[in-house]
Amino acid sequence: HDMGARNMADMKVILMLGTLVVVTLGDTGYGAPPPYHPPPPPYHPPPPPYNPPPPAPYHAPAPTPAYHAPKPAPAYHAEPAYSDEPSPYNYEYGVHDEYTGTNFNAEQHGDGHSNVEGSYSVALPDGRTQHV
């Protein structure tokens, strides 16, 4: 019996020590304690919105009148005298461009007494020349 009682006593000691270790380590059956977080800062309401006063109206300075002396009147001269002599004239021009096929002539003669004579000629697309 000695040995059985001793084993039983040893067993009780081991159970007691195990219970003591479990209680000492804090295993309460609820898991690990939550981590520590500092408390949030105290609440302060935001400042009221800033509404600046409207800008003062802009008043441009009154324009200062600028005085400009009047310009002198232009000097008028008598009209030139034109002679009534007859002025005869001759006028001629012509174009001959082989690249574009342009070909025309004009001439005019005046005797200075309102008698005018002239002619005009142009090359037509079909190869003929028209004289007017």
Side-chain angles (χ1 to χ4, degrees), residues 30-37:
Y30 297 108
Y36 173 75
H37 295 292

Side-chain angles (χ1 to χ4, degrees), residues 28-129:
T28 59
Y30 297 108
Y36 173 75
H37 295 292
Y43 174 75
H44 297 290
Y50 175 68
N51 294 317
Y58 174 74
H59 299 288
T64 56
Y67 175 76
H68 300 287
K71 296 179 183 177
Y76 292 101
H77 304 287
E79 288 187 22
Y82 297 104
S83 67
D84 287 335
E85 296 177 11
S87 327
Y89 69 92
N90 290 318
Y91 176 78
E92 294 183 37
Y93 73 93
V95 174
H96 181 73
D97 185 2
E98 291 182 18
Y99 180 76
T100 62
T102 305
N103 188 4
F104 59 89
N105 299 308
E107 63 178 81
Q108 190 176 34
H109 307 284
D111 65 0
H113 296 288
S114 299
N115 296 320
V116 177
E117 216 176 84
S119 67
Y120 183 84
S121 61
V122 62
L124 298 175
D126 63 0
R128 296 177 299 143
T129 301

